[in-house]
Amino acid sequence: MTTRSPEEAAQTEFHHVPVLGQAVLQYLAFAPKGQYLDATVGGGGHSQLLLTAMPESTLVAIDQDTQAIAAAQATLAPYGDRVEFWHGNFSQYDPGDRRFDGILADLGVSSAQFDIAERGFSFRLAAPLDMRMDRQQALTAAEIVNHWEEKQLADIFYHYGEERLSRRIARAIVAQRPFQTTTDLADAIARSVPPKYRYGRINPATRVFQALRIAVNQELAVLETLLEQAPRWLKPHGRLAIISFHSLEDRRVKHSMRNHPQLQVLTKKPITAQDEEIQFNSRSRSAKLRVAEKKEE
């Protein structure tokens, strides 16, 4: 029997396929001796591509998920001191006087986070209602579902999930709580909506789970902070690349890049996955990459 090290175990459990990897290289791999920031390193896939493409570059790898950091440390170990790790949310990072040639943020939940049932991001398997990217924080999905007022629930379902039946679903949740598991909540949501809606193109719990995840992790607020700070962290002609997975994120990225006085948008339309990548990684279907370059100061 072969015993795996903790690093190998973390890497296997937290395997993450880098979405739109070749497009990221096309826009960011332009400074052979550059300094790069991966604001959401995940399992380290994108960072590995960048470090391999530019053998004299260095990179700061950030993630608030300790499992992700452990997996990235295992993946990026061959690059030695070219990589510096920082555990925390990118909105809290302070680079000091350091400036970067390229900054990448791959937003949302990684495939690994969805696939590790105990994290509670998915309703495919029964798991605690957690959804924390940073497992050191106190707020969980269970706290929101079981203790927030009906109006608060309806508001986050509508604004963060774009769920048109938000009030109806919130009312049903309050009437049936407490909930312990992801599948119990998903079943209750399905029972609360009309049959036509229940058996539609997507599971009726999908938008609610997205909304809960955004609320737990304050995803839109921290994205706004990144969009405000990142241009200041770039060198002149440095590039900011952001991959988003739903319209709430993409709209913010699009308008921020377009309206920021220091940025020149390089992607008039977002770059999306080609059929070959979608067949290999179905979750790349909703990915959108936007890139902007910092103007001369």
Side-chain angles (χ1 to χ4, degrees):
M1 179 177 177
T2 302
T3 302
R4 295 182 301 167
S5 69
E7 292 79 10
E8 290 171 327
Q11 187 177 23
T12 301
E13 188 177 39
F14 211 95
H15 177 66
H16 176 51
V17 179
V19 173
L20 298 173
Q22 292 308 306
V24 168
L25 285 180
Q26 176 187 342
Y27 281 96
L28 291 189
F30 66 91
K33 298 182 180 181
Q35 291 184 302
Y36 287 84
L37 172 65
D38 189 339
T40 51
V41 70
H46 286 113
S47 290
Q48 185 177 38
L49 290 175
L50 290 167
L51 291 164
T52 301
M54 298 171 291
E56 296 182 81
S57 62
T58 59
L59 183 140
V60 176
I62 294 176
D63 211 289
Q64 62 185 327
D65 189 321
T66 53
Q67 285 184 307
I69 286 286
Q73 286 173 332
T75 299
L76 304 178
Y79 302 96
D81 59 7
R82 292 174 58 198
V83 187
E84 174 187 330
F85 292 92
W86 191 85
H87 175 232
N89 188 282
F90 52 67
S91 66
Q92 301 164 329
Y93 178 66
D94 181 2
D97 295 331
R98 181 183 295 179
R99 294 296 177 265
F100 298 99
D101 294 279
I103 298 174
L104 172 67
D106 180 0
L107 305 175
V109 181
S110 71
S111 298
Q113 288 168 323
F114 271 125
D115 292 340
I116 300 172
E118 66 188 52
R119 303 300 300 271
F121 288 105
S122 172
F123 46 79
R124 289 185 292 109
L125 298 171
L129 284 162
D130 194 322
M131 300 193 192
R132 292 173 297 172
M133 292 183 182
D134 180 356
R135 302 182 83 177
Q136 296 177 1
Q137 76 172 42
L139 182 63
T140 65
E143 174 68 21
I144 293 175
V145 167
N146 292 322
H147 298 287
W148 284 21
E149 295 180 0
E150 181 180 322
K151 183 180 185 304
Q152 289 177 287
L153 292 176
D155 285 347
I156 65 168
F157 298 162
Y158 182 78
H159 292 294
Y160 294 166
E162 300 181 296
E163 173 55 69
R164 62 185 180 86
L165 298 182
S166 59
R167 291 191 181 90
R168 180 172 183 162
I169 293 171
R171 190 180 313 119
I173 287 174
V174 169
Q176 298 175 58
R177 65 190 186 187
F179 293 94
Q180 302 299 325
T181 68
T182 53
T183 48
D184 287 344
L185 177 60
D187 290 344
I189 294 168
R191 291 192 301 269
S192 73
V193 300
K196 182 178 180 180
Y197 201 76
R198 187 181 313 161
Y199 303 110
R201 186 174 58 86
I202 66 170
N203 189 296
T206 300
R207 295 185 182 91
V208 171
F209 271 62
Q210 172 183 299
L212 288 170
R213 191 197 79 220
I214 290 173
V216 168
N217 299 289
Q218 301 182 50
E219 291 179 28
L220 298 181
V222 298
L223 173 58
E224 295 281 6
T225 300
L226 178 69
L227 291 170
E228 177 186 344
Q229 294 177 339
R232 298 198 295 270
W233 300 347
L234 287 170
K235 299 176 184 178
H237 302 295
R239 293 177 177 179
L240 172 63
I242 299 183
I243 301 172
S244 62
F245 289 86
H246 55 76
S247 59
L248 296 174
E249 293 172 338
D250 183 57
R251 281 198 295 268
R252 283 165 170 78
V253 174
K254 174 183 176 181
H255 292 301
S256 178
M257 286 183 171
R258 178 186 294 171
N259 298 328
H260 200 289
Q262 291 181 291
L263 296 179
Q264 175 66 48
V265 175
L266 301 183
T267 49
K268 293 183 179 179
K269 293 184 178 180
I271 295 173
T272 56
Q274 301 299 307
D275 290 342
E276 182 178 354
E277 180 174 2
I278 293 171
Q279 290 175 4
F280 176 69
N281 179 12
S282 62
R283 287 171 179 159
S284 67
R285 185 185 306 275
S286 57
K288 293 183 178 181
L289 169 66
R290 294 185 186 272
V291 185
E293 183 175 297
K294 186 173 183 177
K295 301 174 184 178
E296 285 280 3
E297 295 179 336

